[in-house]
């Protein structure tokens, strides 16, 4: 990552007021948000306090009911599916629709979210991952399902290999925008870590749906092969002979093709909505990296952007949230997502299916270490370079969170009298097994927690096992194997019944979003050495946070709080100035 890009990482340049002032965009600064969530979940401490004198309590009480969720059936037999070539290539498509889905299909296809028109072997995760999770609490709307099927037909008609695609690429080569074309495209290019990428890609797909475009993905080697193709009978990957190749070199904050720079240079204007399409360049670059989200979300901007047949989007944020504040999209979004907190959940389950290689890692690990458990607790510990919380502080925060929220079983000292009593009680009934999945770049948290349960029995006599799939120590987004492990771990976390994530981490957002689970969020302390208070809060929504919204909503008065404009867009628990969808 170059220096300019680094200065704009989601955590490096937040618009955080310090001493009453707001730092400008792109300024590099160390900022400790220090915000304390008000939506604190119910704190369960009384039992803990009462037994404190007797027990050496390492973790909070193991409350929680026995999950109804059973381990996945490995003997799962796949119903034959129609192949992609049988699927009709037009938007209207009902003639070749498959037979009405059975109940089994409804689960397998996430309530119709997924098309049945794929070869299962080419992407084993697609139809199997539903077996590894509790059924989702959220159903996709009929309208979303219809729009997705129509989108798939459009993608086949306009996507790589289709004659319309060849025509569109010729126009792109010519350097001039074509007169309104039947097929318009968004090319997404990756930036930052995998969590950032998945959030921005899901946002770009939603934007594509709303603007009737076709989504294509620039997949550099480290991104290639992570995910299955999401659209049946076509590909979302840019073909090798695509005229634009040097994405990293061309699409920077200084790019003359960026919408913002074109506007600043007077080449286009959001007022100038009558400019004819063919006088525009052949593509526009929409730079939505976290510091630059100001310049795209006014209706006037959208009208100008709609004229470009090719658009390149580079972003590392969940800008989908902003689309809900654009009046032109309001009614369509309401039909697509009657449950606003499930937007990313549905988009991610639709788009992100680990490739067979990644799914192999997920399945093997799950079967070996998690399948037998009665309850799976996922703990994601992310220590950010700009907030280097010392190990003991972070570990202490995890323990306090667990105590407050009753997340992990309590332990007692081996020689404690209470031990014999509780073990005896537990021996009368079947012992529950809790598997704790720790994901982190470091192994210390796993080792400490595992050591606690290795050395001490639990107060209930139940069993706890602790596992960590990998600990690469450093982020290596440029390495495919590293990204495969990261994706595998995001998926494994998403199979957990309870999920504890680290504030501000997009890796954590994606995991609980895929799961459809409201996480417990380990809040960011005001500084690395200071304790976070409270240690964690239970999120009120499964949606990710848009950490860097535009500074100002177009049309609104200066100082208008964007978190108070509509009831379903409010501020995030972990990033005070961020926005997310509720309800
Ligand atoms: P964020 O930085 O926490 O918002 O999440 P990102 O996913 O965008 O970037 C962090 C990157 O660091 C990940 O994509 C991984 O490459 C790596 N990483 C961070 N935490 C973990 C972890 O627990 N497991 C693995 N395998 N990789 C991790």
């Amino acid at each position: 990552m170059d220096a300019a890009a680094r200065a704009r990482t989601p955590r490096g340049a937040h618009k955080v007021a310090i001493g009453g002032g707001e730092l400008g965009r792109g300024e590099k600064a160390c900022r400790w948000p220090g915000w304390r969530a008000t939506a604190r979940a119910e704190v369960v401490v009384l039992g803990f306090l009462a037994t404190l004198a007797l027990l050496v309590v390492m973790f909070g009480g193991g409350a929680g009911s026995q999950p109804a969720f059973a381990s996945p059936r490995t003997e799962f037999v796949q119903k034959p599916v129609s192949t992609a070539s049988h699927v009709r290539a037009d938007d209207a498509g009902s003639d070749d629709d498959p037979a009405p889905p059975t109940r089994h299909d409804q689960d397998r296809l996430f309530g119709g979210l997924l098309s049945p028109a794929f070869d299962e072997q080419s992407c084993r995760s697609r139809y199997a991952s539903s077996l590894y999770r509790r059924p989702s609490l959220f159903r996709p709307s009929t309208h979303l399902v219809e729009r997705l099927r129509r989108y798939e037909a459009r993608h086949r008609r306009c996507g790589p290999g289709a004659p319309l695609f060849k025509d569109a690429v010729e126009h792109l080569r010519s350097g001039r925008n074509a007169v309104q074309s039947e097929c318009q495209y968004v090319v997404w290019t990756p930036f930052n870590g995998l969590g950032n990428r998945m959030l921005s890609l899901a946002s770009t797909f939603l934007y594509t749906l709303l603007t009737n475009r076709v989504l294509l993905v620039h997949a550099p080697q480290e991104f290639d092969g992570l995910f299955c193709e999401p659209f049946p009978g076509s590909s979302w990957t840019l073909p090798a002979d695509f005229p634009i190749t040097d994405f990293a070199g061309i699409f920077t904050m200084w790019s003359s093709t960026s919408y913002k720079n074109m506007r600043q240079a007077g080449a286009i204007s959001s007022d100038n909505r009558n400019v004819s399409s063919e006088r525009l360049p052949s593509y526009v670059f929409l730079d939505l990296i976290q510091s630059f989200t100001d310049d795209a979300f006014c209706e006037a901007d959208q009208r100008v952007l709609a004229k470009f047949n090719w658009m390149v989007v580079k972003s590392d944020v969940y800008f989908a949230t902003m689309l809900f504040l654009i009046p032109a999209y309001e009614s369509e979004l309401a039909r697509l997502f009657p449950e606003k907190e499930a937007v990313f959940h549905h988009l991610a389950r639709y788009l992100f299916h680990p490739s067979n290689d990644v799914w192999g890692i997920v399945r093997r690990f799950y079967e070996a270490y998690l399948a037998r458990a009665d309850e799976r607790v996922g703990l994601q510990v992310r220590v950010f370079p700009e907030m280097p919380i010392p190990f003991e502080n972070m570990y202490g925060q995890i323990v306090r969170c667990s105590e407050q929220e009753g997340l992990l079983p309590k332990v007692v000292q081996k020689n404690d009298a209470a031990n014999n009593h509780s073990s005896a009680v537990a021996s009368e009934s079947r012992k529950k097994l809790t598997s704790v999945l720790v994901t982190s770049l470091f192994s210390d948290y796993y080792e400490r927690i595992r050591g606690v349960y290795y050395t001490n029995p639990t107060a209930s006599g139940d069993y706890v096992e602790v596992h960590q799939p990998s600990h690469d120590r450093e982020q290596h987004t440029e390495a495919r194997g590293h990204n495969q492990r990261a994706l595998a771990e995001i998926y494994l976390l998403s199979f957990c019944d309870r999920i504890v994530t680290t504030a501000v981490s997009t890796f954590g957002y994606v995991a609980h979003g895929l799961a459809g689970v409201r996480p417990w969020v380990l809040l960011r302390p005001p500084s690395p050495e200071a304790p976070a208070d409270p240690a964690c809060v239970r999120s009120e929504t499964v949606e990710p946070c848009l950490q860097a919204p535009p500074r100002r909503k177009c049309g609104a008065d200066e100082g208008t709080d964007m978190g108070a404009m509509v009831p379903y867009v409010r501020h995030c628990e972990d990033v005070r100035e961020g926005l997310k969808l509720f309800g």
Side-chain angles (χ1 to χ4, degrees):
M1 199 191 305
D2 61 26
R6 204 190 309 273
R8 294 186 291 156
T9 57
R11 298 163 302 272
H14 282 156
K15 301 169 298 167
V16 177
I18 300 177
E22 183 180 304
L23 295 176
R25 295 290 167 114
E27 289 176 35
K28 185 128 173 86
C30 290
R31 300 163 176 182
W32 318 127
W35 172 72
R36 291 165 190 196
T38 51
R40 184 176 176 180
E42 188 183 346
V43 176
V44 185
V45 292
L46 286 178
F48 166 69
L49 291 174
T51 51
L52 191 62
L54 292 173
L55 306 178
V56 175
V57 179
M58 308 304 288
F59 293 104
S65 57
Q66 198 85 345
F69 175 57
S71 298
R73 292 173 295 137
T74 44
E75 77 280 12
F76 171 68
V77 178
Q78 177 66 46
K79 182 174 172 289
V81 291
S82 52
T83 58
S85 58
H86 296 144
V87 181
R88 234 171 89 142
D90 68 47
D91 275 9
S94 62
D95 290 359
D96 288 352
D97 281 349
T102 61
R103 182 144 180 245
H104 173 71
D105 273 341
Q106 283 295 319
D107 295 338
R108 197 174 66 105
L109 303 178
F110 298 136
L113 197 70
L114 303 184
S115 162
F118 282 96
D119 164 30
E120 186 198 352
Q121 295 309 315
S122 68
C123 180
R124 298 202 181 91
S125 65
R126 188 186 326 264
Y127 300 129
S129 60
S130 60
L131 300 167
Y132 290 72
R133 299 193 183 104
R134 293 172 188 245
S136 172
L137 296 175
F138 306 99
R139 299 296 281 182
S141 68
T142 316
H143 187 61
L144 175 60
V145 170
E146 281 168 13
R147 282 299 304 264
L148 291 173
R149 298 296 88 80
R150 273 164 43 203
Y151 174 79
E152 289 160 2
R154 183 165 67 244
H155 198 106
R156 284 190 294 278
R157 206 171 58 243
C158 299
L164 286 168
F165 184 74
K166 291 197 184 75
D167 293 349
V169 168
E170 279 316 307
H171 273 293
L172 181 63
R173 274 188 220 281
S174 78
R176 301 308 306 169
N177 196 38
V179 201
Q180 200 72 14
S181 153
E182 184 180 344
C183 300
Q184 293 190 304
Y185 301 86
V186 179
V187 178
W188 173 86
T189 185
F191 187 67
N192 258 331
L194 186 61
N196 292 92
R197 291 175 180 209
M198 292 171 79
L199 294 182
S200 79
L201 182 49
S203 303
T204 306
F205 180 59
L206 179 57
Y207 187 63
T208 306
L209 274 185
L210 290 171
T211 54
N212 293 317
R213 289 176 180 264
V214 169
L215 173 65
L216 299 170
V217 165
H218 162 233
Q221 61 79 26
E222 84 281 359
F223 192 78
D224 196 27
L226 284 183
F227 299 103
C228 302
E229 290 283 351
F231 311 126
S234 187
S235 173
W236 69 349
T237 310
L238 283 182
D241 60 353
F242 193 71
I244 302 172
T245 48
D246 182 18
F247 278 76
I250 297 174
F251 300 112
T252 67
M253 62 194 288
W254 301 282
S255 169
S256 61
T257 59
S258 101
Y259 179 64
K260 178 181 170 209
N261 294 341
M262 279 200 259
R263 263 181 44 179
Q264 276 175 2
I268 50 171
S269 149
S270 60
D271 305 328
N272 188 1
R273 70 181 89 147
N274 296 324
V275 65
S276 69
S277 300
E278 60 274 45
R279 287 181 46 218
L280 295 170
S282 59
Y283 68 87
V284 63
F285 165 40
L286 202 50
D287 186 356
L288 297 179
I289 287 174
Q290 57 97 22
S291 302
F292 296 140
T293 51
D294 283 355
D295 299 292
F297 299 108
C298 294
E299 297 212 355
D301 296 315
Q302 292 294 316
R303 281 192 292 269
V304 175
L305 290 167
K307 293 175 188 284
F308 286 91
N309 293 318
W310 287 93
M311 173 187 286
V312 176
V313 169
K314 182 172 177 179
S315 173
D316 53 356
V317 294
Y318 184 61
F319 66 87
T321 314
M322 277 313 292
L323 302 174
F324 285 78
L325 289 176
I326 299 179
Y329 300 138
E330 197 178 320
S331 67
E332 179 61 10
L333 285 168
R335 292 184 71 203
L336 288 170
F337 300 103
E339 294 174 299
K340 302 264 183 325
E341 74 162 306
V343 172
F344 181 75
H345 177 64
H346 292 316
L347 293 174
R349 283 188 173 206
Y350 176 73
L351 281 182
F352 300 127
H353 304 284
S355 65
N356 283 351
D357 282 351
V358 177
W359 183 244
I361 302 173
V362 173
R363 249 194 99 246
R364 285 191 298 275
F365 191 91
Y366 185 94
E367 299 294 348
Y369 302 110
L370 302 175
R372 290 177 306 119
D374 298 299
E375 180 166 42
R376 283 155 280 266
V377 180
L379 172 62
Q380 184 240 353
V381 189
R382 179 87 167 102
V383 181
F384 294 105
E386 78 278 8
M387 178 60 83
I389 301 174
F391 170 77
E392 290 299 339
N393 293 30
M394 190 71 192
Y395 178 72
Q397 185 175 348
I398 295 166
V399 172
R400 281 190 292 124
C401 173
S402 181
E403 287 170 356
Q404 286 168 13
E405 306 294 327
L407 294 174
L408 294 174
K410 293 175 186 174
V411 295
V412 293
Q413 270 187 336
K414 276 181 298 189
N415 57 0
D416 194 294
N419 172 31
N420 295 331
H421 169 70
S422 56
S423 296
V425 171
S427 65
E428 289 162 14
S429 57
R430 194 184 81 82
K431 296 189 182 191
K432 176 181 163 185
L433 174 63
T434 299
S435 277
V436 182
L437 172 73
V438 180
T439 67
S440 175
L441 284 172
F442 309 100
S443 60
D444 327 27
Y445 300 95
Y446 153 77
E447 280 162 12
R448 175 70 70 87
I449 296 168
R450 184 181 162 279
V452 166
Y453 286 108
Y454 176 68
T455 316
N456 305 288
T458 59
S460 61
D462 289 333
Y463 296 131
V464 176
E465 51 183 30
V466 185
H467 304 288
Q468 178 169 3
S470 76
H471 45 89
D472 286 13
R473 296 203 68 78
E474 285 174 353
Q475 177 173 346
H476 283 292
T477 296
E478 73 293 348
R480 186 191 295 165
H482 171 87
N483 292 332
Q484 289 187 332
R485 288 191 288 284
L487 178 58
E489 287 168 40
I490 286 174
Y491 245 74
L492 286 165
L493 275 174
S494 82
F495 293 163
C496 291
D497 307 304
R498 302 169 182 227
I499 302 178
V500 184
T501 56
T502 307
V504 193
S505 172
T506 59
F507 186 103
Y509 292 170
V510 175
H512 71 73
L514 271 168
V517 164
R518 294 174 190 167
W520 283 266
V521 183
L522 295 163
L523 293 177
R524 181 171 270 209
S527 72
E529 302 290 342
D533 181 23
C536 62
V537 292
R538 181 87 192 262
S539 176
E540 286 181 47
T541 167
V542 304
E543 270 288 283
C545 174
L546 164 58
Q547 296 177 353
R551 282 178 287 195
R552 197 173 152 192
K553 170 83 177 70
C554 36
D557 294 336
E558 184 88 42
T560 304
D561 180 1
M562 270 191 279
M565 296 180 84
V566 292
Y568 46 84
V569 176
R570 307 210 297 266
H571 291 293
C572 311
E573 289 99 348
D574 60 336
V575 180
R576 179 182 50 179
E577 65 280 13
L579 294 176
K580 68 177 176 175
L581 295 166
F582 289 77

